Amino acid sequence: MKNSTSKIVLASLILAAIFSCNKNETSGGYMAESAVPLAKDYTEALSDSVSSVATMQLKDKQFIKSAEVNMEVKDVYEATISIEKSLEDLGGFVTSSNLNSRILSEETFSTSDENATLVRKFQTENSMQVRVPTEKLGVFLTLINNRKVFLNSRVILAEDVTSNIKLAELEAKRNSKTGENIEKLKTDKDKVKLSDENVGEGNQQKVASFEMTDQLKYSTVDIYIKEPKISIAAIPVTNSKNMDNKYKFNFFYDLKNAFVEGFYLIQKLTVGLVSIWPLILIGGIVFWIFRKKKSLVKFEK
């Protein structure tokens, strides 16, 4: 009995150790989470629907975090306003928002001689890109998750840039040291050129450092939302087909215009003939000579 108890305890310890190792392997480096999370054992106040990648913090590690969310919502416009309001409350901001209604089909139905109804089927969608303070990424993802009716996909990334930051610091020190060495050189054209190149390199490093700091401070979230069902809009319009038929042909009006146009055509022909009177005169003379010669030939015979 004692041996059985010992085996059970030993087996429990081994299982606990394996579980601990697996948990540690999934908590560092470059992490991604797609679709719906599988585990629901969070002890923080955040919703279970948010991956630990969004809230991960490790000692001596720096992460640039980003996320992509593709989901369906009940009303795209209301969801967009809600997301923007939540973002504002969290200290974030919108960098792009492209809301549009994709028309699937449209057809016009006549309701009277003058009126008709345009029935348009469409689906509303919006592609957004937002920036949210990194420490509030988990809270923001929880808020937008509450707006979904169906989650198509979600990806959360945490890129370890600790070594990049260290390299940037070393490069800044090198640039500063190079500047000091250049100052010790004798002033000439080469010194001016080296100094300019060193200053330019230093400026590039400062810009890169600023961009890195900005990406660490604010996480980028790409959001695509659409409505699951097709919407239908009935729009009152003029019965254009009947109006076209009504004014397509007017017999008396068109007859009057035809008479006037015929009269103008006669005038144009008359003016045209008068303008070519020299040709008519020459043609008449040639014709008269030809007839004259023909008459003389007959007389001789």
Side-chain angles (χ1 to χ4, degrees), residues 12-31:
S12 300
L13 292 174
I14 292 173
L15 289 174
I18 293 173
F19 177 76
S20 177
C21 291
N22 289 337
K23 187 175 181 180
N24 289 334
E25 288 176 358
T26 59
S27 63
Y30 183 86
M31 305 181 65

Side-chain angles (χ1 to χ4, degrees), residues 41-103:
D41 57 349
Y42 302 103
T43 57
E44 299 181 0
L46 294 178
S47 169
D48 290 346
S49 62
V50 177
S51 169
S52 60
V53 183
T55 57
M56 178 178 58
Q57 291 184 350
L58 298 178
K59 185 179 180 181
D60 300 327
K61 287 288 184 181
Q62 295 283 351
F63 297 98
I64 291 179
K65 298 181 181 180
S66 61
E68 297 178 7
V69 180
N70 184 325
M71 65 184 188
E72 297 176 8
V73 297
K74 184 178 180 180
D75 188 294
V76 168
Y77 184 79
E78 290 182 359
T80 300
I81 299 300
S82 176
I83 290 172
E84 292 179 350
K85 181 64 170 61
S86 300
L87 191 67
E88 182 180 356
D89 294 339
L90 293 174
F93 53 94
V94 179
T95 56
S96 68
S97 180
N98 183 17
L99 190 152
N100 66 87
S101 295
R102 183 163 50 91
I103 298 175

Side-chain angles (χ1 to χ4, degrees), residues 194-258:
L194 289 173
S195 179
D196 288 342
E197 291 177 351
N198 189 63
V199 170
E201 183 179 349
N203 291 337
Q204 292 178 359
Q205 291 176 359
K206 290 178 181 178
V207 172
S209 177
F210 175 80
E211 292 178 350
M212 177 73 72
T213 301
D214 181 69
Q215 292 177 355
L216 288 169
K217 185 177 180 181
Y218 292 95
S219 297
T220 301
V221 182
D222 292 309
I223 306 170
Y224 174 76
I225 54 178
K226 68 175 183 179
E227 295 173 1
K229 294 183 178 181
I230 296 174
S231 300
I232 299 177
I235 307 170
V237 295
T238 302
N239 190 340
S240 58
K241 183 177 181 180
N242 187 64
M243 296 300 290
D244 291 341
N245 292 334
K246 181 178 179 180
Y247 296 105
K248 186 177 292 184
F249 188 77
N250 189 315
F251 177 76
F252 294 104
Y253 177 78
D254 292 339
L255 182 64
K256 182 191 72 174
N257 285 340

Side-chain angles (χ1 to χ4, degrees), residues 157-173:
L157 304 175
E159 182 182 1
D160 186 356
V161 293
T162 308
S163 59
N164 302 60
I165 295 173
K166 185 62 178 178
L167 177 61
E169 293 176 354
L170 295 175
E171 284 296 307
K173 291 180 180 180

Side-chain angles (χ1 to χ4, degrees), residues 256-275:
K256 182 191 72 174
N257 285 340
F259 178 79
V260 173
E261 290 175 3
F263 178 73
Y264 286 146
L265 178 61
I266 293 174
Q267 289 181 332
K268 290 180 180 179
L269 289 175
T270 303
V271 173
L273 290 174
V274 173
S275 64

